[in-house]
Amino acid sequence: MNDASRSLLTFISDTPTAFHAVRNTAHRLRLAGYTELSETEEWSLVPGGRYYVTRNLSSLIAFRTPPSLPAGFMIAAAHGDSPSFRIKENAESPAGGFYTRINTEKYGGMLCSTWMDRPLSAAGRVTFRRDGAIRSAVVDLARELFLIPSVAIHMNRHANENASFNPAVDMQPISGGSDAAGGYKRLLAEACGCDPEELLSSDMYLYSREPGRIWGIGEEFISSPRLDDLQCVYAALCGFLAAAPSAACPVLCLFDNEETGSATKQGAASTFLRDTLTRIIDALGGSRVDYLRAVASGFMVSADNAHAVHPNHPEYADPPHRPVMNGGIVLKHNANQRYATDALSAAVFTELCRRAGVPVQHFANRPDLPGGSTLGNISDTQVALNTVDIGLAQLAMHSVYETAGVRDTDYLITAMTAFFGSELRAEGTDCLRLL
Ligand code: CO
């Protein structure tokens, strides 16, 4: 029981950062016969081939080529990054006359209080000098090393009212006493197999060492770090690998930097997807027009977790749009198109789910609350095609320990398997057939 969510927990525990999301996804793709391509080299693709390409080691696009030029691109995108604290270049400072402090700054918008008083580690990408070249290593220090201590209630009697956290003061972890100075750099060098003097720079992020769990009277809930958005990443990957072949080109996107607005060379606002799709058509001998036709005939599922109605604060949810955990896939709607869903993309996805036997539910922000943003409308500025924004209902989004429904993992895998095996055929401008 709950096999998919148990496998998801294994995937998450191996995936502390976006770099690891790419590494672990690539590993699973290689086991399934996928060949890695490089953006700096020529691509010679064969019909019926399986490929993936990465950018910055932190974003990945995988695809299968159909027997002839693709009828359309069937794309699903999710993000591999999560809110965290990035360790600064000058990582250590003395603190309080006794401690060694690790200097961090916020990456994305987290619920700060949830990061306190728990063992933390660090993972990410490190660069170092070796044989006259600049090398990159994706590393996980994989030990309880740091902790951000809260202030005792006896010293801050207002701690339970109007809690506020200054990231420069309240959110800095310690790594030990003053004799721990130099220890962090030593661990980084060890993880890379180099000398501390050979280290050049790093993109290292804190992560919680708390393991994920399945719980509840009926074992219906899953709690873990980084469910947003690794639950969608994992389900999309499983569906991508399981799908039957079609005349379309299935494309799986794993983007970094969603939590900071996607505007990086490897984020959803970058050229990565457009460049990759263009090169697929080029390598298959197609023209610019073939590319445009395959995009216009395609569809994108932007998968990023959604808010479940909160048990103690149902008032934050719009009364007619209150998704529940284990209630099926959430379609996200927004009048200002912060979610790219419209009547057509909602119809296509709902019909796909109906055929696959997967329930759907609907989310819209309460009209007086701004809500969040996601990948769909940002990616559409680079590759414009019919797009639906979906997610799985969860509680405590951007807590260091989030909660979702175990059955929803299975629902999304089923829906993604159906999606990646399907194609869309336009009949005139007002009729679409889902095949
Ligand atoms: Co997200």
Side-chain angles (χ1 to χ4, degrees):
M1 232 178 68
N2 302 334
D3 285 350
S5 283
R6 288 192 195 284
S7 306
L8 166 64
L9 287 180
T10 305
F11 183 78
I12 292 177
S13 83
D14 292 339
T15 306
T17 72
F19 296 104
H20 296 80
V22 164
R23 194 175 69 174
N24 293 331
T25 300
H27 176 68
R28 283 161 200 249
L29 289 167
R30 280 195 304 276
L31 290 179
Y34 284 72
T35 302
E36 180 169 13
L37 302 168
S38 165
E39 286 199 286
T40 58
E41 284 164 26
E42 283 281 342
W43 293 2
S44 56
L45 309 183
V46 296
R50 303 166 169 215
Y51 307 94
Y52 71 91
V53 57
T54 69
R55 187 178 278 190
N56 190 52
L57 301 179
S58 66
S59 287
L60 175 148
I61 297 176
F63 57 92
R64 288 192 289 274
T65 49
S68 50
L69 279 174
F73 293 113
M74 299 302 267
I75 306 167
H79 66 90
D81 63 322
S82 320
S84 178
F85 293 87
R86 187 178 187 276
I87 299 178
K88 291 172 138 178
E89 199 69 18
N90 293 326
E92 288 177 341
S93 294
F98 171 74
Y99 303 101
T100 297
R101 191 178 90 165
I102 298 296
N103 299 313
T104 65
E105 58 185 328
K106 288 168 74 172
Y107 173 85
M110 72 289 288
L111 287 166
C112 282
S113 66
T114 63
W115 279 79
M116 305 178 103
D117 306 324
R118 62 189 61 238
L120 304 170
S121 191
R125 183 251 313 265
V126 182
T127 51
F128 59 100
R129 197 184 310 110
R130 167 75 50 85
D131 302 330
I134 296 161
R135 305 252 175 188
S136 299
V138 172
V139 304
D140 177 2
L141 299 184
R143 263 179 61 196
E144 291 74 19
L145 291 167
F146 316 121
L147 184 137
I148 306 169
S150 55
V151 174
I153 189 76
H154 315 83
M155 294 167 182
N156 179 9
R157 290 285 176 191
H158 303 292
N160 291 326
E161 302 130 38
N162 305 321
S164 80
F165 302 95
N166 180 337
V169 178
D170 298 300
M171 302 311 299
Q172 303 295 321
I174 53 168
S175 60
S178 50
D179 56 352
Y184 170 68
K185 210 172 170 184
R186 214 161 42 241
L187 288 176
L188 275 194
E190 231 169 69
C192 298
C194 71
D195 292 330
E197 310 80 66
E198 293 174 316
L199 290 173
L200 294 172
S201 190
S202 65
D203 300 303
M204 292 290 288
Y205 299 87
L206 301 183
Y207 72 92
S208 167
R209 294 283 290 165
E210 183 83 14
R213 291 181 181 87
I214 289 172
W215 61 278
I217 300 293
E219 299 212 319
E220 62 266 67
F221 299 127
I222 175 172
S223 292
S224 168
R226 304 181 293 285
L227 285 172
D228 170 15
D229 191 26
L230 296 182
Q231 193 176 19
C232 287
V233 167
Y234 182 75
L237 172 62
C238 291
F240 179 78
L241 291 174
S246 78
C249 175
V251 181
L252 174 73
C253 301
L254 180 45
F255 285 124
D256 192 5
N257 304 125
E258 190 279 335
E259 297 296 353
T260 55
S262 296
T264 58
K265 67 184 184 297
Q266 64 274 358
S270 77
T271 59
F272 186 30
L273 178 59
R274 192 179 64 198
D275 295 346
T276 303
L277 301 185
T278 307
R279 291 187 70 165
I280 293 172
I281 297 294
D282 281 354
L284 294 174
S287 65
R288 172 78 184 153
V289 171
D290 291 322
Y291 165 78
L292 295 171
R293 290 182 66 187
V295 170
S297 308
F299 193 85
M300 175 181 258
V301 176
S302 160
D304 193 1
N305 267 1
H307 300 295
V309 62
H310 194 284
N312 304 333
H313 286 285
E315 71 277 11
Y316 288 128
D318 191 42
H321 301 97
R322 292 184 165 178
V324 295
M325 294 181 287
N326 295 314
I329 298 175
V330 180
L331 277 77
K332 307 177 186 177
H333 305 265
N334 178 255
N336 296 318
Q337 287 284 288
R338 290 176 72 143
Y339 302 130
T341 311
D342 58 20
L344 185 63
S345 63
V348 169
F349 193 76
T350 303
E351 179 60 10
L352 182 106
C353 287
R354 186 188 66 79
R355 293 186 194 177
V358 172
V360 299
Q361 39 187 348
H362 297 275
F363 175 83
N365 289 311
R366 219 176 75 160
D368 56 348
L369 295 176
S373 62
T374 182
L375 300 164
N377 64 338
I378 293 173
S379 179
D380 273 344
T381 63
Q382 293 290 338
V383 178
L385 75 180
N386 284 319
T387 301
V388 68
D389 267 299
I390 61 136
L392 300 177
Q394 68 159 93
L395 291 171
M397 190 176 285
H398 294 192
S399 166
V400 79
Y401 208 65
E402 302 174 319
T403 293
V406 292
R407 283 198 294 283
D408 290 331
T409 312
D410 298 276
Y411 287 143
L412 189 53
I413 292 172
T414 303
M416 286 288 108
T417 304
F419 171 71
F420 282 123
S422 66
E423 68 174 278
L424 283 169
R425 192 162 300 160
E427 297 175 2
T429 53
D430 61 358
C431 178
L432 266 186
R433 201 170 289 281
L434 180 65
L435 303 169

